[in-house]
């Protein structure tokens, strides 16, 4: 039996969310900065993966993109 080329393809997995460390790297800040922003109610939206406030934090990619867009500034001293 012959296998077709498409049978050998591995589907690409596009992450929906990033860990705090990966999100910090993507934004160019330290993970501690993201933690400080969370405590202060600033920065991008985030998700706890369980009901415990000590559960790992994830950042949805779309929330990171939205937050970055909200930070866009034009020239003129803004």
């Amino acid at each position: 039996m012959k296998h077709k080329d498409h049978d050998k393809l591995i589907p690409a997995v596009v992450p929906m969310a990033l860990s705090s460390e990966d999100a910090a790297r993507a934004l160019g800040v330290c993970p501690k900065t993201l933690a400080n922003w969370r405590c202060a109610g600033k920065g991008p939206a985030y998700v706890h993966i369980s009901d415990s406030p000590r559960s790992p934090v994830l950042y949805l990619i779309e929330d990171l993109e939205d937050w970055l867009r909200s930070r866009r500034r034009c020239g003129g001293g803004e």
Side-chain angles (χ1 to χ4, degrees):
M1 182 189 325
K2 280 187 167 182
H3 292 288
K4 295 181 181 178
D5 286 339
H6 71 273
D7 291 337
K8 297 178 185 178
L9 296 177
I10 299 171
V13 176
V14 178
M16 293 175 49
L18 298 176
S19 68
S20 187
E21 291 79 14
D22 289 339
R25 189 176 309 113
L27 294 174
V29 299
C30 296
K32 182 69 175 165
T33 299
L34 280 183
N36 290 340
W37 288 348
R38 285 194 303 270
C39 289
K42 298 180 180 182
Y46 59 94
V47 176
H48 279 284
I49 61 173
S50 78
D51 291 336
S52 169
R54 295 200 177 271
S55 72
V57 170
L58 294 177
Y59 288 87
L60 298 176
I61 296 205
E62 65 186 65
D63 288 338
L64 293 173
E65 291 171 344
D66 290 345
W67 183 78
L68 281 173
R69 282 187 190 94
S70 76
R71 305 293 301 160
R72 289 178 74 177
R73 301 291 182 262
C74 295
E78 290 185 39

